[in-house]
Amino acid sequence: MSGRAQLMWDEAVTGYDFGPEHPMDPVRLALTRSLVGALGLDREVDVVAARAAGESTLRLVHREDYIDAVKAASADPGAADVSYGLGTVDDPAFAGMHEVSSLIAGQSVGAAEAVWRGDALHAVNFAGGLHHAMPGAASGFCVYNDAALAIARLLELGAERVAYVDVDVHHGDGVQAAFWEDPRVLTVSLHEHPRTLFPQTGWPEETGADCAEGSAVNVALPAGTGDAGWVRAFHAVVPEVLADFRPQVLVTQHGADTHFEDPLAHLAVSLDAQRAVQVACHELAHEYAGGRWVALGGGGYAVVDVVPRSWAHLVGIAAGRPVAPETVIPEGWRQQVFARTRQLGPIRMTDGRWPVGWAPWDAGYDPADRLDQAVVAARRAVFPLRGLLA
Ligand SMILES: [Zn+2]
């Protein structure tokens, strides 16, 4: 019943392409898929292409007038309506935008359905995690919010408690907004501080509407945070709120833009710490959500060196066949990287920082340390609302 993990994949998701000047180059998806194959991971999962999300599904999160505006921009990119965030620098309109955005959303919705029905215990859609899309607007390279749609579909299927954990370097604002007033959904986002990064939200004081107080958790990390601080902050907040919330399903977003090579943000996290947090999410799904785990991609703009390795690790973990960090990447994949991008691909599945050392919160904290201050702020803002000791 809950046998192999599912990898959601339809080659057509690589059509999510804002053009040659845009940082979200879909080659990152193609290279991730081919690295998954080169490492033999696709033999360890069921590769499934779900249908595109239909109109009734999109409406679980998005406003009808916005969907109509996306369709219009998709049919005629020159007529995109910027009042919906379409045709902007971040979200240029392109032909077929509605169709491919719906297809990506459909993979996340399909992943959620598979996990809820028990067809698979874990499902991965690394093309998803488009967490900035708002109910009525495109934002931050995101058109339809597949993460919010997957959660909304779980609620529609009868789920009463869904937890969402977002470790992208940017705040998971669209998902938080979609469930701001819904106590059935706990959203947790760890991100670079809004003072220094888009979308300038995700302050610890954002904790959910009155009727859902304490259902939004925000950990705003200082620019420059590295492996030890990032993993420490994750463990200082996430396990406790999940233990308290007891989700039936865990949905996680694994934007790879926390990496020190990422050109759009300012954290200093390595591939090895990203892998450590992926492993932790998998363990938390088993500990608190009966193993039901939907794992999504997200941001990540070091499209050759970082994104494919990070998400291949994610697939390996979900497949029950984690890739050892010291693994040498098959030469054939590196040749493909060069042929497609004229860049040299990475050689190993590590940045040489494994195992990641970090100090547990229980052992004490330093009130003068900026990372610890960020953790304290998050805990003090939300833990009392949940009846937890800050
Ligand atoms: Zn991001």
mmCIF file with all atom_site columns, all heavy atoms in Angstrom, residues 89-109:
data_model
loop_
_atom_site.group_PDB
_atom_site.id
_atom_site.type_symbol
_atom_site.label_atom_id
_atom_site.label_alt_id
_atom_site.label_comp_id
_atom_site.label_asym_id
_atom_site.label_entity_id
_atom_site.label_seq_id
_atom_site.pdbx_PDB_ins_code
_atom_site.Cartn_x
_atom_site.Cartn_y
_atom_site.Cartn_z
_atom_site.occupancy
_atom_site.B_iso_or_equiv
_atom_site.pdbx_formal_charge
_atom_site.auth_seq_id
_atom_site.auth_comp_id
_atom_site.auth_asym_id
_atom_site.auth_atom_id
_atom_site.pdbx_PDB_model_num
ATOM 1   N N   . VAL A 1 89  ? 8.928  42.191 -14.203 1.00 0.00 ? 89  VAL A N   1
ATOM 2   C CA  . VAL A 1 89  ? 10.311 41.706 -14.296 1.00 0.00 ? 89  VAL A CA  1
ATOM 3   C C   . VAL A 1 89  ? 10.427 40.317 -13.658 1.00 0.00 ? 89  VAL A C   1
ATOM 4   O O   . VAL A 1 89  ? 11.055 39.413 -14.196 1.00 0.00 ? 89  VAL A O   1
ATOM 5   C CB  . VAL A 1 89  ? 11.282 42.693 -13.611 1.00 0.00 ? 89  VAL A CB  1
ATOM 6   C CG1 . VAL A 1 89  ? 12.698 42.111 -13.565 1.00 0.00 ? 89  VAL A CG1 1
ATOM 7   C CG2 . VAL A 1 89  ? 11.291 44.022 -14.351 1.00 0.00 ? 89  VAL A CG2 1
ATOM 8   N N   . ASP A 1 90  ? 9.815  40.140 -12.492 1.00 0.00 ? 90  ASP A N   1
ATOM 9   C CA  . ASP A 1 90  ? 9.898  38.842 -11.809 1.00 0.00 ? 90  ASP A CA  1
ATOM 10  C C   . ASP A 1 90  ? 9.081  37.760 -12.510 1.00 0.00 ? 90  ASP A C   1
ATOM 11  O O   . ASP A 1 90  ? 9.485  36.603 -12.536 1.00 0.00 ? 90  ASP A O   1
ATOM 12  C CB  . ASP A 1 90  ? 9.400  38.974 -10.358 1.00 0.00 ? 90  ASP A CB  1
ATOM 13  C CG  . ASP A 1 90  ? 10.508 39.439 -9.418  1.00 0.00 ? 90  ASP A CG  1
ATOM 14  O OD1 . ASP A 1 90  ? 11.602 39.773 -9.897  1.00 0.00 ? 90  ASP A OD1 1
ATOM 15  O OD2 . ASP A 1 90  ? 10.253 39.473 -8.192  1.00 0.00 ? 90  ASP A OD2 1
ATOM 16  N N   . ASP A 1 91  ? 7.931  38.143 -12.999 1.00 0.00 ? 91  ASP A N   1
ATOM 17  C CA  . ASP A 1 91  ? 7.019  37.167 -13.610 1.00 0.00 ? 91  ASP A CA  1
ATOM 18  C C   . ASP A 1 91  ? 6.594  37.605 -15.004 1.00 0.00 ? 91  ASP A C   1
ATOM 19  O O   . ASP A 1 91  ? 5.427  37.951 -15.242 1.00 0.00 ? 91  ASP A O   1
ATOM 20  C CB  . ASP A 1 91  ? 5.782  36.980 -12.715 1.00 0.00 ? 91  ASP A CB  1
ATOM 21  C CG  . ASP A 1 91  ? 6.154  36.486 -11.332 1.00 0.00 ? 91  ASP A CG  1
ATOM 22  O OD1 . ASP A 1 91  ? 6.276  35.263 -11.154 1.00 0.00 ? 91  ASP A OD1 1
ATOM 23  O OD2 . ASP A 1 91  ? 6.355  37.334 -10.437 1.00 0.00 ? 91  ASP A OD2 1
ATOM 24  N N   . PRO A 1 92  ? 7.530  37.565 -15.949 1.00 0.00 ? 92  PRO A N   1
ATOM 25  C CA  . PRO A 1 92  ? 7.170  37.914 -17.328 1.00 0.00 ? 92  PRO A CA  1
ATOM 26  C C   . PRO A 1 92  ? 6.137  36.914 -17.853 1.00 0.00 ? 92  PRO A C   1
ATOM 27  O O   . PRO A 1 92  ? 6.159  35.750 -17.484 1.00 0.00 ? 92  PRO A O   1
ATOM 28  C CB  . PRO A 1 92  ? 8.501  37.752 -18.095 1.00 0.00 ? 92  PRO A CB  1
ATOM 29  C CG  . PRO A 1 92  ? 9.571  37.644 -17.066 1.00 0.00 ? 92  PRO A CG  1
ATOM 30  C CD  . PRO A 1 92  ? 8.920  37.117 -15.824 1.00 0.00 ? 92  PRO A CD  1
ATOM 31  N N   . ALA A 1 93  ? 5.246  37.413 -18.685 1.00 0.00 ? 93  ALA A N   1
ATOM 32  C CA  . ALA A 1 93  ? 4.264  36.501 -19.280 1.00 0.00 ? 93  ALA A CA  1
ATOM 33  C C   . ALA A 1 93  ? 4.917  35.748 -20.434 1.00 0.00 ? 93  ALA A C   1
ATOM 34  O O   . ALA A 1 93  ? 5.808  36.266 -21.102 1.00 0.00 ? 93  ALA A O   1
ATOM 35  C CB  . ALA A 1 93  ? 3.062  37.302 -19.776 1.00 0.00 ? 93  ALA A CB  1
ATOM 36  N N   . PHE A 1 94  ? 4.517  34.520 -20.634 1.00 0.00 ? 94  PHE A N   1
ATOM 37  C CA  . PHE A 1 94  ? 4.992  33.761 -21.804 1.00 0.00 ? 94  PHE A CA  1
ATOM 38  C C   . PHE A 1 94  ? 3.867  32.866 -22.299 1.00 0.00 ? 94  PHE A C   1
ATOM 39  O O   . PHE A 1 94  ? 2.956  32.511 -21.537 1.00 0.00 ? 94  PHE A O   1
ATOM 40  C CB  . PHE A 1 94  ? 6.254  32.951 -21.465 1.00 0.00 ? 94  PHE A CB  1
ATOM 41  C CG  . PHE A 1 94  ? 6.100  31.940 -20.352 1.00 0.00 ? 94  PHE A CG  1
ATOM 42  C CD1 . PHE A 1 94  ? 5.735  30.629 -20.635 1.00 0.00 ? 94  PHE A CD1 1
ATOM 43  C CD2 . PHE A 1 94  ? 6.330  32.297 -19.029 1.00 0.00 ? 94  PHE A CD2 1
ATOM 44  C CE1 . PHE A 1 94  ? 5.594  29.693 -19.611 1.00 0.00 ? 94  PHE A CE1 1
ATOM 45  C CE2 . PHE A 1 94  ? 6.188  31.366 -17.997 1.00 0.00 ? 94  PHE A CE2 1
ATOM 46  C CZ  . PHE A 1 94  ? 5.831  30.058 -18.299 1.00 0.00 ? 94  PHE A CZ  1
ATOM 47  N N   . ALA A 1 95  ? 3.954  32.511 -23.571 1.00 0.00 ? 95  ALA A N   1
ATOM 48  C CA  . ALA A 1 95  ? 2.913  31.675 -24.178 1.00 0.00 ? 95  ALA A CA  1
ATOM 49  C C   . ALA A 1 95  ? 2.886  30.319 -23.474 1.00 0.00 ? 95  ALA A C   1
ATOM 50  O O   . ALA A 1 95  ? 3.928  29.697 -23.251 1.00 0.00 ? 95  ALA A O   1
ATOM 51  C CB  . ALA A 1 95  ? 3.190  31.505 -25.665 1.00 0.00 ? 95  ALA A CB  1
ATOM 52  N N   . GLY A 1 96  ? 1.705  29.889 -23.096 1.00 0.00 ? 96  GLY A N   1
ATOM 53  C CA  . GLY A 1 96  ? 1.562  28.587 -22.438 1.00 0.00 ? 96  GLY A CA  1
ATOM 54  C C   . GLY A 1 96  ? 1.779  28.635 -20.931 1.00 0.00 ? 96  GLY A C   1
ATOM 55  O O   . GLY A 1 96  ? 1.831  27.591 -20.262 1.00 0.00 ? 96  GLY A O   1
ATOM 56  N N   . MET A 1 97  ? 1.877  29.851 -20.397 1.00 0.00 ? 97  MET A N   1
ATOM 57  C CA  . MET A 1 97  ? 2.133  30.029 -18.963 1.00 0.00 ? 97  MET A CA  1
ATOM 58  C C   . MET A 1 97  ? 1.076  29.349 -18.086 1.00 0.00 ? 97  MET A C   1
ATOM 59  O O   . MET A 1 97  ? 1.397  28.691 -17.089 1.00 0.00 ? 97  MET A O   1
ATOM 60  C CB  . MET A 1 97  ? 2.145  31.545 -18.703 1.00 0.00 ? 97  MET A CB  1
ATOM 61  C CG  . MET A 1 97  ? 2.377  31.974 -17.302 1.00 0.00 ? 97  MET A CG  1
ATOM 62  S SD  . MET A 1 97  ? 2.184  33.784 -17.263 1.00 0.00 ? 97  MET A SD  1
ATOM 63  C CE  . MET A 1 97  ? 3.583  34.232 -16.294 1.00 0.00 ? 97  MET A CE  1
ATOM 64  N N   . HIS A 1 98  ? -0.177 29.503 -18.455 1.00 0.00 ? 98  HIS A N   1
ATOM 65  C CA  . HIS A 1 98  ? -1.252 28.882 -17.665 1.00 0.00 ? 98  HIS A CA  1
ATOM 66  C C   . HIS A 1 98  ? -1.118 27.363 -17.679 1.00 0.00 ? 98  HIS A C   1
ATOM 67  O O   . HIS A 1 98  ? -1.207 26.710 -16.640 1.00 0.00 ? 98  HIS A O   1
ATOM 68  C CB  . HIS A 1 98  ? -2.618 29.296 -18.232 1.00 0.00 ? 98  HIS A CB  1
ATOM 69  C CG  . HIS A 1 98  ? -3.750 28.472 -17.698 1.00 0.00 ? 98  HIS A CG  1
ATOM 70  N ND1 . HIS A 1 98  ? -4.245 28.631 -16.425 1.00 0.00 ? 98  HIS A ND1 1
ATOM 71  C CD2 . HIS A 1 98  ? -4.460 27.451 -18.261 1.00 0.00 ? 98  HIS A CD2 1
ATOM 72  C CE1 . HIS A 1 98  ? -5.222 27.747 -16.234 1.00 0.00 ? 98  HIS A CE1 1
ATOM 73  N NE2 . HIS A 1 98  ? -5.374 27.032 -17.321 1.00 0.00 ? 98  HIS A NE2 1
ATOM 74  N N   . GLU A 1 99  ? -0.868 26.817 -18.860 1.00 0.00 ? 99  GLU A N   1
ATOM 75  C CA  . GLU A 1 99  ? -0.845 25.360 -18.993 1.00 0.00 ? 99  GLU A CA  1
ATOM 76  C C   . GLU A 1 99  ? 0.304  24.747 -18.186 1.00 0.00 ? 99  GLU A C   1
ATOM 77  O O   . GLU A 1 99  ? 0.113  23.771 -17.449 1.00 0.00 ? 99  GLU A O   1
ATOM 78  C CB  . GLU A 1 99  ? -0.713 24.963 -20.470 1.00 0.00 ? 99  GLU A CB  1
ATOM 79  C CG  . GLU A 1 99  ? -1.979 25.180 -21.296 1.00 0.00 ? 99  GLU A CG  1
ATOM 80  C CD  . GLU A 1 99  ? -2.283 26.660 -21.593 1.00 0.00 ? 99  GLU A CD  1
ATOM 81  O OE1 . GLU A 1 99  ? -1.384 27.530 -21.454 1.00 0.00 ? 99  GLU A OE1 1
ATOM 82  O OE2 . GLU A 1 99  ? -3.451 26.949 -21.951 1.00 0.00 ? 99  GLU A OE2 1
ATOM 83  N N   . VAL A 1 100 ? 1.502  25.312 -18.301 1.00 0.00 ? 100 VAL A N   1
ATOM 84  C CA  . VAL A 1 100 ? 2.633  24.683 -17.607 1.00 0.00 ? 100 VAL A CA  1
ATOM 85  C C   . VAL A 1 100 ? 2.555  24.942 -16.102 1.00 0.00 ? 100 VAL A C   1
ATOM 86  O O   . VAL A 1 100 ? 2.929  24.081 -15.293 1.00 0.00 ? 100 VAL A O   1
ATOM 87  C CB  . VAL A 1 100 ? 3.987  25.116 -18.219 1.00 0.00 ? 100 VAL A CB  1
ATOM 88  C CG1 . VAL A 1 100 ? 4.306  26.577 -17.940 1.00 0.00 ? 100 VAL A CG1 1
ATOM 89  C CG2 . VAL A 1 100 ? 5.120  24.220 -17.685 1.00 0.00 ? 100 VAL A CG2 1
ATOM 90  N N   . SER A 1 101 ? 2.034  26.099 -15.715 1.00 0.00 ? 101 SER A N   1
ATOM 91  C CA  . SER A 1 101 ? 1.880  26.363 -14.278 1.00 0.00 ? 101 SER A CA  1
ATOM 92  C C   . SER A 1 101 ? 0.855  25.406 -13.669 1.00 0.00 ? 101 SER A C   1
ATOM 93  O O   . SER A 1 101 ? 1.032  24.921 -12.546 1.00 0.00 ? 101 SER A O   1
ATOM 94  C CB  . SER A 1 101 ? 1.447  27.812 -14.056 1.00 0.00 ? 101 SER A CB  1
ATOM 95  O OG  . SER A 1 101 ? 2.396  28.704 -14.619 1.00 0.00 ? 101 SER A OG  1
ATOM 96  N N   . SER A 1 102 ? -0.198 25.129 -14.421 1.00 0.00 ? 102 SER A N   1
ATOM 97  C CA  . SER A 1 102 ? -1.207 24.160 -13.968 1.00 0.00 ? 102 SER A CA  1
ATOM 98  C C   . SER A 1 102 ? -0.622 22.753 -13.903 1.00 0.00 ? 102 SER A C   1
ATOM 99  O O   . SER A 1 102 ? -0.989 21.953 -13.032 1.00 0.00 ? 102 SER A O   1
ATOM 100 C CB  . SER A 1 102 ? -2.401 24.131 -14.921 1.00 0.00 ? 102 SER A CB  1
ATOM 101 O OG  . SER A 1 102 ? -2.956 25.408 -15.077 1.00 0.00 ? 102 SER A OG  1
ATOM 102 N N   . LEU A 1 103 ? 0.282  22.468 -14.835 1.00 0.00 ? 103 LEU A N   1
ATOM 103 C CA  . LEU A 1 103 ? 0.903  21.134 -14.845 1.00 0.00 ? 103 LEU A CA  1
ATOM 104 C C   . LEU A 1 103 ? 1.782  20.940 -13.607 1.00 0.00 ? 103 LEU A C   1
ATOM 105 O O   . LEU A 1 103 ? 1.756  19.876 -12.968 1.00 0.00 ? 103 LEU A O   1
ATOM 106 C CB  . LEU A 1 103 ? 1.734  20.954 -16.121 1.00 0.00 ? 103 LEU A CB  1
ATOM 107 C CG  . LEU A 1 103 ? 2.350  19.563 -16.295 1.00 0.00 ? 103 LEU A CG  1
ATOM 108 C CD1 . LEU A 1 103 ? 1.266  18.483 -16.449 1.00 0.00 ? 103 LEU A CD1 1
ATOM 109 C CD2 . LEU A 1 103 ? 3.301  19.534 -17.501 1.00 0.00 ? 103 LEU A CD2 1
ATOM 110 N N   . ILE A 1 104 ? 2.563  21.963 -13.274 1.00 0.00 ? 104 ILE A N   1
ATOM 111 C CA  . ILE A 1 104 ? 3.397  21.869 -12.067 1.00 0.00 ? 104 ILE A CA  1
ATOM 112 C C   . ILE A 1 104 ? 2.513  21.730 -10.828 1.00 0.00 ? 104 ILE A C   1
ATOM 113 O O   . ILE A 1 104 ? 2.761  20.897 -9.958  1.00 0.00 ? 104 ILE A O   1
ATOM 114 C CB  . ILE A 1 104 ? 4.332  23.093 -11.966 1.00 0.00 ? 104 ILE A CB  1
ATOM 115 C CG1 . ILE A 1 104 ? 5.399  23.013 -13.066 1.00 0.00 ? 104 ILE A CG1 1
ATOM 116 C CG2 . ILE A 1 104 ? 4.984  23.174 -10.581 1.00 0.00 ? 104 ILE A CG2 1
ATOM 117 C CD1 . ILE A 1 104 ? 6.301  24.231 -13.161 1.00 0.00 ? 104 ILE A CD1 1
ATOM 118 N N   . ALA A 1 105 ? 1.453  22.537 -10.775 1.00 0.00 ? 105 ALA A N   1
ATOM 119 C CA  . ALA A 1 105 ? 0.524  22.429 -9.644  1.00 0.00 ? 105 ALA A CA  1
ATOM 120 C C   . ALA A 1 105 ? -0.080 21.031 -9.576  1.00 0.00 ? 105 ALA A C   1
ATOM 121 O O   . ALA A 1 105 ? -0.219 20.448 -8.494  1.00 0.00 ? 105 ALA A O   1
ATOM 122 C CB  . ALA A 1 105 ? -0.566 23.490 -9.762  1.00 0.00 ? 105 ALA A CB  1
ATOM 123 N N   . GLY A 1 106 ? -0.400 20.494 -10.734 1.00 0.00 ? 106 GLY A N   1
ATOM 124 C CA  . GLY A 1 106 ? -0.985 19.150 -10.776 1.00 0.00 ? 106 GLY A CA  1
ATOM 125 C C   . GLY A 1 106 ? -0.055 18.088 -10.214 1.00 0.00 ? 106 GLY A C   1
ATOM 126 O O   . GLY A 1 106 ? -0.517 17.111 -9.601  1.00 0.00 ? 106 GLY A O   1
ATOM 127 N N   . GLN A 1 107 ? 1.252  18.273 -10.396 1.00 0.00 ? 107 GLN A N   1
ATOM 128 C CA  . GLN A 1 107 ? 2.199  17.287 -9.839  1.00 0.00 ? 107 GLN A CA  1
ATOM 129 C C   . GLN A 1 107 ? 2.186  17.327 -8.313  1.00 0.00 ? 107 GLN A C   1
ATOM 130 O O   . GLN A 1 107 ? 2.260  16.286 -7.651  1.00 0.00 ? 107 GLN A O   1
ATOM 131 C CB  . GLN A 1 107 ? 3.625  17.525 -10.348 1.00 0.00 ? 107 GLN A CB  1
ATOM 132 C CG  . GLN A 1 107 ? 3.777  17.553 -11.875 1.00 0.00 ? 107 GLN A CG  1
ATOM 133 C CD  . GLN A 1 107 ? 3.035  16.431 -12.577 1.00 0.00 ? 107 GLN A CD  1
ATOM 134 O OE1 . GLN A 1 107 ? 3.227  15.257 -12.271 1.00 0.00 ? 107 GLN A OE1 1
ATOM 135 N NE2 . GLN A 1 107 ? 2.175  16.789 -13.511 1.00 0.00 ? 107 GLN A NE2 1
ATOM 136 N N   . SER A 1 108 ? 2.074  18.527 -7.747  1.00 0.00 ? 108 SER A N   1
ATOM 137 C CA  . SER A 1 108 ? 2.037  18.614 -6.281  1.00 0.00 ? 108 SER A CA  1
ATOM 138 C C   . SER A 1 108 ? 0.705  18.105 -5.735  1.00 0.00 ? 108 SER A C   1
ATOM 139 O O   . SER A 1 108 ? 0.671  17.425 -4.704  1.00 0.00 ? 108 SER A O   1
ATOM 140 C CB  . SER A 1 108 ? 2.295  20.056 -5.828  1.00 0.00 ? 108 SER A CB  1
ATOM 141 O OG  . SER A 1 108 ? 3.621  20.424 -6.146  1.00 0.00 ? 108 SER A OG  1
ATOM 142 N N   . VAL A 1 109 ? -0.377 18.428 -6.432  1.00 0.00 ? 109 VAL A N   1
ATOM 143 C CA  . VAL A 1 109 ? -1.684 17.919 -6.022  1.00 0.00 ? 109 VAL A CA  1
ATOM 144 C C   . VAL A 1 109 ? -1.706 16.394 -6.144  1.00 0.00 ? 109 VAL A C   1
ATOM 145 O O   . VAL A 1 109 ? -2.190 15.686 -5.253  1.00 0.00 ? 109 VAL A O   1
ATOM 146 C CB  . VAL A 1 109 ? -2.802 18.576 -6.870  1.00 0.00 ? 109 VAL A CB  1
ATOM 147 C CG1 . VAL A 1 109 ? -4.141 17.878 -6.656  1.00 0.00 ? 109 VAL A CG1 1
ATOM 148 C CG2 . VAL A 1 109 ? -2.910 20.072 -6.532  1.00 0.00 ? 109 VAL A CG2 1
#
